[in-house]
Amino acid sequence: MVILGVILLIIGFVTGISILWTIGIVLLLIGLVLWVVGALGHAVGGRRHYY
């Protein structure tokens, strides 16, 4: 989700499409929050591990 957010940020910046910029920021923030929560050892989505 973090990678998709960064890609959308770049595409939105280059093309000037503001909705892609906004969606990229939202996906980046959600991805970072889930990454931090998972790194702290909390279960994310009912799973403790990604596998």
Side-chain angles (χ1 to χ4, degrees):
M1 195 176 290
V2 175
I3 295 172
L4 181 62
V6 170
I7 291 171
L8 286 176
L9 278 173
I10 293 170
I11 292 173
F13 180 74
V14 170
T15 61
I17 301 174
S18 63
I19 190 70
L20 290 179
W21 181 261
T22 305
I23 293 171
I25 290 173
V26 170
L27 285 178
L28 185 67
L29 291 177
I30 291 172
L32 288 175
V33 167
L34 290 176
W35 183 29
V36 168
V37 169
L40 291 175
H42 297 283
V44 177
R47 298 174 182 252
R48 183 160 301 278
H49 300 288
Y50 65 90
Y51 52 88

